[in-house]
Amino acid sequence: MNAREQVRALLAENGWKCNADGRRYVAERINHSFSPRNLRLKKWRHVLKYAEQVGGCRPETSFDYINAQKEIVAAEVFDLYDIPSGLKNPFVVCFSGFMTAHLYTMEAVRFYAKTHGQLLPIYCVGKEGNKGLFKQVFDRTDGLMVQTEAEAYLRPLSLLAPKLWVRLYQRAVEDTDTKGNFSEMYNLAKALGLDEATFLLCSGNFSYDKRLLAEGMLELAKPEYADIKINLAVLHCPMCLNLSVPEGHLSELLLGYVAASLGPMLKDTTPLSTDILPDFTKERYLLPGTEDEDWGCFRELITEYSNMGWPNYQELIYGIDHETAVENIILADLHARSSFSPEGYDEALRADIKKYQEFVGEYKQGTPFLEFLINSPDEGFF
């Protein structure tokens, strides 16, 4: 029995499940070895650039929608290096699983300090890793990428900035039984007694902007959030392919994240309108122009590298039958599992932190942080 045949047999035995438990079921029983596939940047660069165009947003883009107060407001997109002043109680929210997001967060904070002479607060969210793929990484107490996504950002950030500043708002809300990252943002504002807050979403993922806004705008428009006005904005994080972590260069994991960013954009949507209230039983808004993109360009990406996605993306966009879609995901998962290790992630994180410190300077704990940021180089790291 070859590898594909054994995968199908194990899936049939386990009811064609591809959730976290289903993926582990196959991974623990497969007796064929998988290795990362040979990925050529020349082949994938144009796909990734188009993914940034389709899934990312250009700065100064905005989307009008009806918020929880039933007002027409705009979700905005800002340049990482040009965040405006005058925002109401702004926080940079570092999340998404991309292990470059903390570096983009630092760049946003650094240039806001240089431009406006003020220190932006940060908030890290994220309860656990994606679909069980990173269980071996997070099920540790020692290291940098451990325990939860939030903690995996807090530890690297604490090497780049004052530890008390990094963790200040982590004390306000503990991510223990969350309904999602957006409800955690609301919970933070509520815990701090704010009547209005602005959350600047910083994912590190160049292809994730539209999915974030499509889901966040809809979630935070629900009546249960009406007591606090939540303003949403995305900080567009430009593509970077020269870092050490898997998300920072062409890899099985990078392609998996991009597939998972793009795949849901057409799934379970409600029209974006300022005339009628949305259908809150749906998962996200259908943003303008999404249906008109060249989804054929992403067929191989979504069908063969979706190691974090769900089969219905393939079924909806490309008409692939359910069992084949599940099989594709499990095969991508097996290739991805062989492409990283917990120790490798920690080493790569430290290498990227060192590279960043060589560019901006190394912050010494106890020195004035705002002064350090203002005096840092005028050039952007990304």
Side-chain angles (χ1 to χ4, degrees):
M1 187 181 294
N2 64 32
R4 185 176 286 270
E5 289 171 340
Q6 191 183 14
V7 165
R8 290 189 69 85
L10 288 168
L11 285 171
E13 181 181 290
N14 197 40
W16 296 92
K17 295 176 183 175
C18 70
N19 58 7
D21 291 338
R23 292 162 190 246
R24 283 198 296 272
Y25 184 90
V26 175
E28 291 168 358
R29 290 164 177 79
I30 193 85
N31 56 23
H32 291 271
S33 61
F34 285 79
S35 58
R37 288 166 282 193
N38 182 31
L39 304 174
R40 293 183 294 110
L41 187 57
K42 184 177 180 180
K43 170 185 174 179
W44 284 103
R45 187 184 293 277
H46 79 281
V47 177
L48 295 177
K49 284 184 176 179
Y50 189 51
E52 182 170 20
Q53 178 182 328
V54 172
C57 291
R58 292 181 180 276
E60 300 184 7
T61 302
S62 65
F63 299 95
D64 291 340
Y65 69 107
I66 301 173
N67 66 5
Q69 292 76 37
K70 295 186 170 55
E71 304 168 338
I72 296 176
V73 294
E76 299 185 270
V77 182
F78 298 139
D79 188 297
L80 189 71
Y81 294 106
D82 190 21
I83 303 171
S85 62
L87 302 174
K88 184 72 171 181
N89 296 323
F91 295 82
V92 179
V93 185
C94 179
F95 76 120
S96 83
F98 242 55
M99 292 312 300
T100 60
H102 53 290
L103 298 180
Y104 287 93
T105 293
M106 283 301 301
E107 284 293 88
V109 171
R110 187 166 74 89
F111 269 76
Y112 192 87
K114 292 177 73 66
T115 304
H116 305 299
Q118 295 178 316
L119 193 57
L120 269 175
I122 64 169
Y123 182 48
C124 299
V125 292
K127 185 178 179 182
E128 59 186 11
N130 287 295
K131 311 303 179 210
L133 185 59
F134 296 110
K135 181 177 175 60
Q136 59 169 320
V137 182
F138 287 124
D139 281 2
R140 302 182 297 152
T141 55
D142 297 325
L144 286 180
M145 188 177 173
V146 299
Q147 299 176 24
T148 63
E149 286 183 18
E151 186 65 22
Y153 290 129
L154 291 165
R155 294 193 180 195
L157 282 165
S158 294
L159 299 177
L160 297 167
K163 295 175 182 177
L164 290 177
W165 172 77
V166 168
R167 293 185 178 270
L168 179 61
Y169 293 105
Q170 238 50 42
R171 301 173 186 176
V173 176
E174 290 295 336
D175 187 15
T176 55
D177 189 21
T178 177
K179 292 193 300 179
N181 292 323
F182 294 104
S183 61
E184 282 301 302
M185 297 172 206
Y186 164 84
N187 289 338
L188 174 67
K190 193 172 185 69
L192 295 175
L194 303 177
D195 57 9
E196 184 174 356
T198 303
F199 291 110
L200 308 170
L201 310 179
C202 187
S203 71
N205 183 342
F206 55 90
S207 64
Y208 201 26
D209 300 346
K210 288 177 186 169
R211 180 181 168 186
L212 277 179
L213 288 179
E215 295 175 3
M217 291 154 58
L218 182 60
E219 172 64 25
L220 291 171
K222 292 178 179 177
E224 63 214 67
Y225 303 113
D227 59 324
I228 302 174
K229 184 177 181 181
I230 302 295
N231 306 306
L232 276 183
V234 160
L235 302 181
H236 178 66
C237 299
M239 182 168 62
C240 177
L241 298 177
N242 64 354
L243 294 174
S244 297
V245 291
E247 298 87 351
H249 61 263
L250 181 60
S251 67
E252 293 276 351
L253 294 178
L254 173 65
L255 295 180
Y257 271 111
V258 175
S261 302
L262 300 175
M265 287 171 59
L266 295 174
K267 172 185 169 286
D268 203 15
T269 61
T270 185
L272 180 62
S273 172
T274 55
D275 297 322
I276 57 172
L277 290 176
D279 181 352
F280 290 122
T281 66
K282 302 298 184 180
E283 290 188 15
R284 59 189 60 82
Y285 280 115
L286 179 62
L287 297 185
T290 303
E291 290 178 300
D292 302 326
E293 302 291 357
D294 179 12
W295 290 93
C297 179
F298 302 126
R299 185 182 179 101
E300 182 180 3
L301 174 73
I302 291 174
T303 59
E304 296 189 25
Y305 291 88
S306 187
N307 48 57
M308 306 173 193
W310 292 101
N312 45 22
Y313 309 161
Q314 300 175 49
E315 297 165 31
L316 174 67
I317 301 172
Y318 304 113
I320 293 173
D321 69 272
H322 179 70
E323 291 185 1
T324 300
V326 172
E327 177 189 351
N328 288 341
I329 287 173
I330 296 300
L331 288 168
D333 177 271
L334 293 169
H335 284 294
R337 283 173 188 268
S338 68
S339 71
F340 69 94
S341 69
E343 298 74 21
Y345 250 115
D346 283 353
E347 291 171 8
L349 280 166
R350 292 187 186 280
D352 291 338
I353 288 170
K354 182 179 179 181
K355 185 174 184 177
Y356 186 74
Q357 289 173 327
E358 288 172 349
F359 183 84
V360 304
E362 185 174 353
Y363 172 74
K364 303 295 185 183
Q365 296 287 335
T367 60
F369 187 46
L370 181 59
E371 182 179 318
F372 167 79
L373 295 175
I374 291 172
N375 293 328
S376 66
D378 292 334
E379 297 77 29
F381 181 74
F382 294 104

